[in-house]
Amino acid sequence: MDKKVQALIEGLNKDLAGEYSAVIQYNYYATTVSGLNYQILKPFFEEEIPDELGHAAYLSEKIANLGGEPTTVPATVAKVTDAKAMLEGARQAEADTLENYRERRSQAQELGMIELVVKLEDMIADEQNHLEKLTKTLNDPVFA
């Protein structure tokens, strides 16, 4: 297998582990958030899960189509109980994912994989939206 394709597959597997982790993270946060933040943050976290699952499904299939073996192991999820720490953790994960997808887009462009480039652009837009929502929520004075 071409070394550039292999590097892309390895990167996509890293991204897949991150998406699995995001599903777990958002589910964990939605089910453990408490106090006054519960009514607002529970649905906030829950509504992110379908996007992350969709990204994971796409990445897994793309890895297989490229001749790789999709990972089944998520990246580590930190257990936190403080609402602000949950939001900060989610925001950092989204920022990291955004950076990774930009790198993957460059790799795909170099290989001429237009479909993957376009799909990564969509995923970058999703992650940017998630990042902006998390940042806006953290700007609430309650989290100051």
Side-chain angles (χ1 to χ4, degrees):
M1 177 180 296
D2 180 270
K3 288 183 181 185
K4 289 182 181 181
V5 173
Q6 184 61 39
L8 175 63
I9 290 169
E10 289 170 10
L12 292 171
N13 256 320
K14 176 183 173 184
D15 300 335
L16 177 57
E19 292 294 351
Y20 288 154
S21 175
V23 170
I24 293 166
Q25 179 183 43
Y26 283 126
N27 186 64
Y28 175 75
Y29 292 171
T31 58
T32 60
V33 68
S34 61
L36 295 174
N37 295 306
Y38 174 80
Q39 289 185 9
I40 295 168
L41 293 183
K42 180 179 176 48
F44 178 83
F45 290 135
E46 287 175 334
E47 71 184 32
E48 299 302 326
I49 295 170
D51 280 348
E52 309 303 356
L53 280 172
H55 295 168
Y58 173 80
L59 292 171
S60 187
E61 186 167 356
K62 181 54 71 175
I63 292 164
N65 289 344
L66 291 172
E69 180 68 29
T71 188
T72 58
V73 179
T76 303
V77 176
K79 292 184 178 182
V80 296
T81 56
D82 175 71
K84 182 177 181 180
M86 289 177 179
L87 291 165
E88 289 172 339
R91 181 175 60 180
Q92 185 59 55
E94 295 292 353
D96 293 345
T97 300
L98 199 52
E99 183 178 320
N100 291 339
Y101 283 163
R102 287 178 176 141
E103 181 180 340
R104 229 60 68 224
R105 177 185 58 195
S106 294
Q107 290 175 294
Q109 283 173 328
E110 186 177 333
L111 290 164
M113 296 181 177
I114 302 305
E115 182 273 338
L116 179 56
V117 170
V118 170
K119 185 62 177 178
L120 285 165
E121 289 286 346
D122 289 343
M123 292 165 63
I124 287 168
D126 286 345
E127 300 299 344
Q128 182 67 45
N129 180 263
H130 297 168
L131 182 64
E132 289 172 4
K133 288 188 334 186
L134 286 160
T135 299
K136 192 171 190 175
T137 303
L138 276 164
N139 285 336
D140 188 296
V142 76
F143 297 114

